[in-house]
Amino acid sequence: MSGWAPKRFWKQAEVVAAENGFTVSLDGRGLKTPAKTAFWVPTAALAEEVAKEWQAQESKIKPETMPYTRTANSALDKVYPQFSAVADMLAGYGGSDLLCYRAVAPQELVARQHTAWTPLLEWTKAEFGAELSVVQGVMPVAQPENCLRALSQAVHSLSPFQLAAFHDLVAISGSLVIGLAIARGHILPDVGFDLSRIDENWQIEFWGHDEEAAESEALKREGLRHAARFLALCG
């Protein structure tokens, strides 16, 4: 970013109209991404969140407290130059979606997965015409090509900014279906996160919480929430 430094050097972060949408200026100087691209986002609401992050910085800049800036930078520097590759990579999750691989035993876990995951697969069939195959165990199952094509089209229909946030929805949950369900407002981010943690929560019930693992889980949950908020603000 322009002027990126360990210490704050500006007094005021402001939203400014830009050619493609909106940008943020620091005392009149426009932001740039780490790759020196002129910074911009598609909506004023999203630019406001970025400006708030910069305005909230104190004497020392803390990038870890600036998720909106970070995701927007990813969209501009990473997604725009290789949109098709990123979209293809995320669509590829559909070929081995978490929700399609069910436990063989114990029966209570089998039932829990069925109750939690089957309704989302039914939604996927209704929403995209994609009826994904389900298998018990971990042996790969080939999904119908027409289903994968339909899901891929849904991913490719996203804008680069939406795709940057969608990346985190899919990567954190481990499921293209969960990512799409959150992105389309079918389920809330917390619901999606819990659905992605059926197996882990089952283990926790037997072995208890590990403090380090619990902290990591909390960070992932917040990451999923942020990605959903960012995507919603893209307009």
Side-chain angles (χ1 to χ4, degrees), residues 11 40 63 94 102 118 128 141 160 162 178-179 205 211 216 233 235:
K11 292 182 179 180
W40 67 277
R102 309 292 176 84
T118 298
F128 305 104
V141 57
Q162 290 172 326
I178 290 176
E205 289 177 18
E211 186 173 338
S216 175
L233 290 173

Side-chain angles (χ1 to χ4, degrees), residues 33-35 37-42 46 50 67-84 86 158-168 226 230-231 234:
T33 70
T37 301
F39 183 94
W40 67 277
V41 290
L46 190 50
V50 173
Y68 287 99
T69 303
R70 184 173 62 248
T71 305
N73 282 337
S74 294
L76 293 166
D77 285 349
K78 298 178 181 179
V79 178
Y80 258 98
Q82 48 184 350
F83 179 89
S84 293
V86 175
L158 298 171
S159 73
F161 284 95
Q162 290 172 326
L163 194 64
F166 186 70
H167 172 276
D168 288 351
H226 162 72
F230 187 100
L231 196 151
C234 287

Side-chain angles (χ1 to χ4, degrees), residues 111-135:
R112 191 176 297 187
Q113 290 177 340
H114 175 78
T115 300
W117 292 347
T118 298
L120 263 192
L121 293 181
E122 292 174 347
W123 171 82
T124 304
K125 178 182 177 182
E127 184 78 3
F128 305 104
E131 185 173 9
L132 296 175
S133 301
V134 175
V135 64

